[in-house]
Amino acid sequence: QLKLVESGGGLVQAGGSLTLSCVASTFNLEYYGVGWYRQAPGKEREGVASISINGGSTNYADSVKDRFTVSRDNTKNTAYLQMNSLKPEDTGVYYCGLPVLSDHLRLGRYDYDHWGPGTQVTVSS
């Protein structure tokens, strides 16, 4: 059983910050990379950020690069997404997932699975 649970979403004004958490509650996250995706109403899910197993490598979508930071603490079975300088277009449900294949940081449509239930992020103007 590979179960992930996201938390930390909420309502913030443009320019504000939020930190999301992704907890592996049923397994050891240390054996997996982690990807963060988001989905706005009426839009496809899009990749946001990814991190390697040991946290040594990261990848970001151009739309969030230099504003978001992905990290992890394997002793806590948790990955994080620090979001700064938030914009209304960042609004959506944020999900974390596990790579379908090993050893990659790609953020394509089918690159991750085992999604958690998601956490809502709303950025007002």
Side-chain angles (χ1 to χ4, degrees):
Q1 187 179 20
L2 301 175
K3 183 179 179 181
L4 298 171
V5 179
E6 305 91 344
S7 64
L11 174 65
V12 298
Q13 290 189 317
S17 299
L18 284 174
T19 298
L20 307 183
S21 297
C22 171
V23 177
S25 60
T26 62
F27 66 100
N28 290 326
L29 192 61
E30 64 182 334
Y31 301 115
Y32 301 88
V34 177
W36 284 97
Y37 284 64
R38 67 189 181 189
Q39 186 169 24
K43 298 183 64 176
E44 295 183 352
R45 183 168 55 195
E46 63 175 346
V48 174
S50 57
I51 188 168
S52 61
I53 291 172
N54 294 321
S57 298
T58 58
N59 187 33
Y60 298 93
D62 288 342
S63 60
V64 307
K65 192 173 184 179
D66 299 324
R67 297 190 298 120
F68 291 10
T69 301
V70 61
S71 62
R72 65 189 298 159
D73 185 344
N74 286 339
T75 67
K76 299 179 179 179
N77 273 346
T78 302
Y80 305 94
L81 185 67
Q82 175 69 48
M83 306 185 294
N84 298 322
S85 302
L86 284 163
K87 305 174 181 179
E89 51 263 45
D90 294 319
T91 293
V93 179
Y94 282 69
Y95 303 90
C96 59
L98 305 178
V100 172
L101 301 175
S102 298
D103 302 321
H104 78 83
L105 295 172
R106 298 185 299 273
L107 292 168
R109 179 182 297 181
Y110 303 110
D111 286 329
Y112 289 80
D113 58 12
H114 294 91
W115 306 106
T119 185
Q120 176 70 44
V121 172
T122 303
V123 184
S124 62
S125 61

